[in-house]
Amino acid sequence: GAVAERATFEAYLSYSFFLSIWVYPVIVHWVWGGGWLTLGPNSFRGVGALDFAGDGPVHMIGGVAGAIGSKLIGPRIGRFDSDRKPVQMPGHSSPLAFLGTFILWVGWFGFNSGSALSLIKSGLVAERAAVNTLLSSATGGLGALFFNTWLRPGREWDINSALNGTLAGLVAITASCPVVESWAALIIGLLGGILYILASDFTLNRLGIDDPLDATPVHMFTGFFGLIATGFFARTEFVQDISSDLAEFGNPADYSGVFYQGNGNLLLANFVEAIVIIVWVSVFIGPYFFFLRKMGWFRISIAAEHLGIDESSHGGTAYPEVYADDQVAKDFKTEAGQSGPQPKATPTATYANAGIGSDAPAAGHD
């Protein structure tokens, strides 16, 4: 989502494969597979990281990769004006965004609760995860909606802020969903929704990253926060429910949150997990994206971007009634000689003239 509307389909396949076979599995081993950060009395600081459903291995990996990819591929055409100030490019369908959010919302209950792996042995853990997931998502959506209304006069009651705030609340509770009390889940979700709004502004206005779906604020920033929140709010007895080894051999001060007389080891372990993920993903996916960019395999041409990826790269359009008489479509097909959707390479200077930046890659497959 972070590189939507301008990345080639081949690039999607390529970096998805690379992330899946190397970047993601190593982190999963460290955090869940018996590695040095796996929850248990013999892991880092006598506790390891407590990341129940994957704020780090799932959300932060995707968020960090998305941020790097979006920065290297450059913004969409017209996203920034000549003074490098953002130009509003709202989505075309709030009802579809609303539907997509609710599909994710429902799926998250399986994602978080399902991480208990067994309803017979861990039914109480799964139930607690489901309840806290609901509470955190609700306050995330409300917190983002009200905070955005206060922060951005003229964009009052923006439904898209509420939708992404709901997702932020879901991400924020992912690491700690079965180990915090209900009141803590409400607070974590609320802070996650507010953090999303702040991170969205920071990502666009300070970092200059054009992330159409706000994947970076939702997954990287809120995922980081979710790991840190676990170190404060994890209740001792609830942690024992998910780790019999800690309950039997661990020191309660090591695996308890700071607000439950913890000594900070859990907080430190989760912080280390977050930093390790940022470094690991950056070291491998950054050069990989840079290689794709240098080879001209990362970004589609300007003509293809104006036309839209559906039409230029996949042989069809989602809105045929809109593009039937569109001159851009006709020009593109004429240029391609009616031979298919492959765009020609576009010189770097042309990208600069389009407001993408002088270091943007030459796009295409030639």
Side-chain angles (χ1 to χ4, degrees):
V3 295
E5 302 182 27
R6 70 265 204 213
T8 66
F9 183 65
E10 293 80 359
Y12 277 116
L13 295 177
S14 174
Y15 68 71
S16 296
F17 181 74
F18 180 65
L19 281 167
S20 299
I21 67 167
W22 175 245
V23 179
Y24 173 76
V26 174
I27 295 295
V28 167
H29 168 68
W30 287 342
V31 176
W32 290 331
W36 63 285
L37 283 172
T38 300
L39 188 67
N42 298 319
S43 297
F44 179 74
R45 303 297 294 183
V47 59
L50 201 173
D51 190 353
F52 183 73
D55 260 335
V58 177
H59 297 291
M60 283 199 66
I61 286 180
V64 174
I68 296 172
S70 186
K71 186 65 176 179
L72 287 177
I73 201 172
R76 290 167 291 173
I77 296 172
R79 188 63 173 98
F80 294 94
D81 62 21
S82 57
D83 297 324
R84 302 301 297 171
K85 294 181 178 179
V87 176
Q88 290 297 324
M89 296 180 70
H92 78 287
S93 176
S94 290
L96 285 179
F98 191 88
L99 176 62
T101 300
F102 265 75
I103 293 172
L104 282 171
W105 202 345
V106 171
W108 226 289
F109 289 99
F111 183 79
N112 281 3
S113 300
S115 295
L117 303 181
S118 171
L119 287 176
I120 297 175
K121 295 181 179 180
S122 305
L124 184 59
V125 172
E127 292 169 9
R128 193 182 302 123
V131 171
N132 286 339
T133 296
L134 177 62
L135 295 174
S136 181
S137 60
T139 54
L142 290 173
L145 178 64
F146 280 91
F147 188 71
N148 182 73
T149 297
W150 172 78
L151 187 66
R152 300 170 177 169
R155 292 185 60 187
E156 288 83 357
W157 315 118
D158 180 10
I159 183 62
N160 293 309
S161 296
L163 296 178
N164 274 340
T166 299
L167 297 180
L170 289 165
V171 172
I173 200 64
T174 293
S176 61
C177 51
V179 298
V180 299
E181 298 186 71
S182 297
W183 63 266
L186 292 170
I187 294 174
I188 290 172
L190 178 65
L191 295 178
I194 293 173
L195 174 63
Y196 155 68
I197 297 297
L198 295 174
S200 179
D201 275 349
F202 178 77
T203 301
L204 179 62
N205 297 310
R206 298 297 182 182
L207 300 181
I209 292 176
D210 176 22
D211 184 340
L213 300 188
D214 268 349
T216 302
V218 169
H219 295 283
M220 184 180 78
F221 284 92
T222 315
F224 193 115
F225 166 72
L227 289 173
I228 300 304
T230 305
F232 284 98
F233 290 100
R235 179 174 171 176
T236 310
E237 296 82 2
F238 294 170
V239 178
Q240 292 171 347
D241 289 341
I242 67 171
S243 176
S244 57
D245 287 343
L246 282 178
E248 186 174 356
F249 303 110
N251 175 13
D254 288 335
Y255 56 78
S256 300
V258 173
F259 294 153
Y260 291 88
Q261 299 181 341
N263 57 18
N265 279 344
L266 177 61
L267 175 62
L268 177 60
N270 276 23
F271 176 76
V272 169
E273 178 195 345
I275 298 301
V276 165
I277 288 173
I278 292 173
V279 173
W280 178 262
V281 176
S282 300
V283 164
F284 287 101
I285 204 64
Y288 193 80
F289 281 144
F290 187 77
F291 170 75
L292 292 178
R293 193 178 81 165
K294 279 297 183 183
M295 296 300 294
W297 298 337
F298 202 6
R299 184 166 185 144
I300 61 176
S301 70
I302 288 179
E305 188 172 344
H306 276 301
L307 181 61
I309 291 180
D310 286 344
E311 178 74 17
S312 65
S313 298
H314 301 289
T317 176
Y319 307 98
E321 70 281 1
V322 175
Y323 290 101
D325 298 320
D326 187 79
Q327 189 60 43
V328 173
K330 293 178 180 178
D331 291 345
F332 179 85
K333 291 177 179 178
T334 300
E335 179 184 340
Q338 302 284 344
S339 61
Q342 298 296 331
K344 293 183 178 180
T346 303
T348 300
T350 309
Y351 272 98
N353 293 337
I356 296 175
S358 59
D359 63 341
H365 307 278
D366 293 355

